Amino acid sequence: MKFVTSDHSLDLNIEQLFVAGWTGRNKAAVDHHIEELRELGVAPPSQVPLFYRVSSGLLTQEKSIEVLGTETSGEVEPFLAQENGEIWIGLASDHTDRDLETHSVAYSKQACLKPVAKELWKYDSVADHLDDLILRCLIHEGGKWTLYQEGTLSNIRPLADLKEALDFGEKAGMLCGTLGAIGSVRPAREYRMELEDPALGRKITLEYDVTTLPIVS
């Protein structure tokens, strides 16, 4: 998969892909969210955080994805990749099937493609101010763009801790968790996402749209 950095293009061969779940830094908030989902029929995680292994083929840089049914939604997340000893940070969406989530979170993570931005930054270039990076997601609904998620990485477990817990290795990629939705978790047809670095005055952006396929029986 081809990416661009500040000074060159980069071809990464990601062979193992993980989605980190339940990564909120506020334990009380995570526990509350687990109880909310339990009431909706979603089984609680076996441990916190939890790393879901999914097919590396789910990563896509296409501008459009196809999903089955109307109950899917995206989540803005920092993305880590490692190859040849170098760690990179970027931006991805953990697009998830919410209907399937009530049956199995692991299955729901495997059901949809995971859009990823084409730009990466060196992890070392942001390591000293990771908590200040801003995640942002807007969705198109009601004929306008609506702020859906926004917050700093200080709301997510430190990425260094996630890397260590997973034993993050060569040719691996990881979506590192997300922020709560403003309003409710809900589907959308179009997404605009950002990872902003206010200290260095730069952004990584990701845009994609969703085509819904009918469920037939």
Side-chain angles (χ1 to χ4, degrees), residues 18-27 29-31 33-34 45 47-52 75-78 94 135 152-159 161-163 165 174-180:
F18 300 88
V19 177
W22 319 99
T23 62
R25 198 174 297 191
N26 185 316
K27 184 179 184 301
V30 172
D31 290 343
H33 184 52
I34 289 172
Q47 64 184 49
V48 175
L50 191 60
F51 300 96
Y52 300 95
E75 296 178 343
V76 63
E77 307 205 359
D94 177 20
L135 288 172
T152 64
L153 265 60
S154 64
N155 293 289
I156 298 173
R157 286 177 183 254
L159 302 191
D161 292 355
L162 294 177
K163 292 193 295 99
M174 176 169 58
L175 285 74
C176 301
T178 193
L179 309 167

Side-chain angles (χ1 to χ4, degrees), residues 68 71-73 95-102 108 111-112:
L68 187 63
E71 297 303 315
T72 73
S73 62
H95 207 94
T96 299
D97 188 313
R98 302 301 171 187
D99 272 348
L100 192 54
E101 194 171 39
T102 62
S108 72
C112 302

